[in-house]
Amino acid sequence: MSAPLIVSIPHRLGRDEARRRIESGLARATASVPILKLDEQRWDGDRMMFRARALGQVAAGQVEVADDHVRVEVVLPWLLQKFAEVTQATIRQRGRLLLDKKP
């Protein structure tokens, strides 16, 4: 099994607003990336467990929402490990856009 890919995204929204934005933004994100399909999404408090499919491969992970940051951890199957750096940068970039506090 490969090591998990971990991204921490700071925010100043507070836990509730960050979670709300993640919930609403997740649907838009999967709709905008045609090769990505969310198979499962389950919240337990401020932690969301998920399973996603891309290129016929399944990745599993979790999103933890804290007062000042969001931590995304995902384990990629060996085929998707080739895209780990791109995946990590994309998660970080889209997460920052989603969690950026608007004036």
Side-chain angles (χ1 to χ4, degrees):
M1 179 183 252
S2 61
L5 182 145
I6 298 172
V7 178
S8 183
I9 307 164
H11 68 80
R12 292 184 232 168
L13 299 171
R15 189 181 308 245
D16 293 338
E17 178 63 12
R19 179 178 166 163
R20 186 193 68 73
R21 289 189 186 192
I22 289 169
E23 288 175 340
S24 65
L26 195 56
R28 288 191 313 268
T30 54
S32 69
V33 182
I35 64 167
L36 179 65
K37 181 180 184 304
L38 193 61
D39 289 338
E40 178 185 341
Q41 170 186 338
R42 182 175 47 86
W43 284 93
D44 181 14
D46 293 319
R47 178 182 295 161
M48 179 190 69
M49 281 66 72
F50 67 88
R51 285 177 16 106
R53 184 177 307 274
L55 303 173
Q57 301 292 305
V58 176
Q62 61 185 3
V63 177
E64 293 182 51
V65 182
D67 290 332
D68 61 350
H69 72 280
V70 172
R71 183 177 185 273
V72 180
E73 180 177 322
V74 61
V75 176
L76 299 172
W78 69 271
L79 183 62
L80 295 180
Q81 281 290 320
K82 305 274 188 222
F83 305 103
E85 287 183 29
V86 172
T87 301
Q88 190 172 33
T90 301
I91 290 170
R92 184 173 284 114
Q93 177 189 27
R94 291 196 177 202
R96 284 185 179 148
L97 288 173
L98 187 65
L99 298 171
D100 191 26
K101 190 170 190 172
K102 307 294 185 238

